[in-house]
Amino acid sequence: MTATDWDMPSGAVQRLAEEVPVALSFDGVTQAVMMASPADLEDFALGFALSEGLIADASEITRQELEVTEAGIEARNWLAAPAGARFAERRRATMGPVGCGLCGIEQLEEARRKLPPVAPPRFTMTPEQATEALETLRDHQPLQDETRAAHASSFWQPGKGIVLTREDVGRHNALDKLIGALIRGGIDPASGALVMTSRLSVDLIQKVVTLRIPVIVGPSAPTVLAVSEARDAGLTVIARAGRGLALYTAPQEATA
């Protein structure tokens, strides 16, 4: 259940989004505890592991299970031997609030992790298509329609429009859930663009670049650090500028 009725002092009933602690554990060790919507948690765990560099591909998670307790939900994941060995070297337990994007880093330098280069898009996304994608995204947000308290991440493909969406009370969680769903669904991340409801901060850019998604579209202006990281990696950023959308970075600017 991702939403619950709440009795208001006025006598009205309001639908509120559920928010629960979700522990993401790997080989019996908790890597992060995130406040999240209790849905699509297998996608969440896989997407988190991929976007944070804990695994190189989905095959390195050999088993997943969910354990529901009074305190929250534990999403347990077991790693193949090489990934398990790498994880053991960098493991750390973290606790973060909703949408924590850089939870658990131990040194300032870790906030600017080295990113892989992103190949130029194999498709064209026109300004009209980017605008339409953001507008169409509203039709794929049932939790937001119900509660007005959820973020969404969607994947857009040329000729198809939005093909997949995940929602969560946390914007980073929504992105990780989408990443996991893409990989579990056998959809090539390089075949389309990411469309988000939230501002484009550097931690989101890092996750997107790690998956080599070539284009990201957002409804508000990005930060300086976000566009700098995106430019260096070759990620195309389309986001709000004034009353419309603008191209903040282009593939040919890549320096990585």
Side-chain angles (χ1 to χ4, degrees):
M1 181 183 297
T2 54
T4 300
D5 287 338
W6 182 265
D7 295 325
M8 307 284 281
S10 64
V13 176
Q14 177 69 35
R15 294 289 283 174
L16 297 183
E18 291 284 354
E19 177 185 23
V20 302
V22 177
L24 301 173
S25 69
F26 300 86
D27 287 350
V29 177
T30 298
Q31 172 70 6
V33 179
M34 308 298 288
M35 302 305 298
S37 301
D40 304 309
L41 296 182
E42 292 90 348
D43 291 342
F44 184 25
L46 174 58
F48 177 89
L50 287 165
S51 71
E52 293 298 319
L54 303 183
I55 60 174
D57 59 68
S59 67
E60 292 190 317
I61 292 183
T62 60
R63 182 160 57 97
Q64 292 182 299
E65 66 178 37
L66 301 177
E67 178 70 21
V68 180
T69 70
E70 291 185 1
I73 302 173
E74 184 176 358
R76 298 171 179 169
N77 305 268
W78 282 264
L79 304 176
R86 293 196 305 269
F87 174 71
E89 294 179 358
R90 59 172 284 181
R91 68 185 185 181
R92 57 184 180 267
T94 65
M95 177 66 182
V98 171
C100 181
L102 293 174
C103 300
I105 63 172
E106 298 172 343
Q107 302 178 38
L108 287 174
E109 290 77 11
E110 293 181 63
R112 300 282 310 265
R113 54 174 156 152
K114 183 173 177 57
L115 298 175
V118 178
R122 304 193 300 257
F123 56 89
T124 298
M125 189 178 200
T126 67
E128 293 76 19
Q129 287 174 320
T131 299
E132 181 183 13
L134 279 175
E135 293 175 348
T136 305
L137 177 53
R138 299 170 187 166
D139 299 329
H140 297 262
Q141 298 177 253
L143 183 59
Q144 169 67 1
D145 290 342
E146 193 175 11
T147 66
R148 300 298 174 189
H151 290 287
S153 291
S154 289
F155 195 69
W156 175 94
Q157 288 183 315
K160 298 179 180 179
I162 289 178
V163 297
L164 189 63
T165 301
R166 288 293 183 266
E167 290 184 281
D168 197 277
V169 291
R171 58 198 177 101
H172 305 88
N173 301 342
L175 175 55
D176 280 333
K177 287 180 177 182
L178 179 70
I179 289 170
L182 283 174
I183 301 306
R184 285 160 63 92
I187 300 174
D188 181 4
S191 68
L194 179 71
V195 186
M196 301 198 67
T197 59
S198 64
R199 67 181 178 86
L200 306 182
S201 54
V202 66
D203 37 7
L204 295 180
I205 295 298
Q206 290 172 344
K207 287 177 178 287
V208 172
V209 170
T210 299
L211 269 290
R212 293 179 170 84
I213 298 173
V215 179
I216 186 170
V217 182
S220 59
T223 65
V224 172
L225 186 55
V227 293
S228 297
E229 296 269 289
R231 179 194 59 202
D232 292 346
L235 173 66
T236 298
V237 175
I238 303 171
R240 182 70 57 187
R243 295 185 178 181
L245 297 179
L247 183 67
Y248 281 84
T249 64
Q252 60 268 25
E253 297 181 303
T255 60

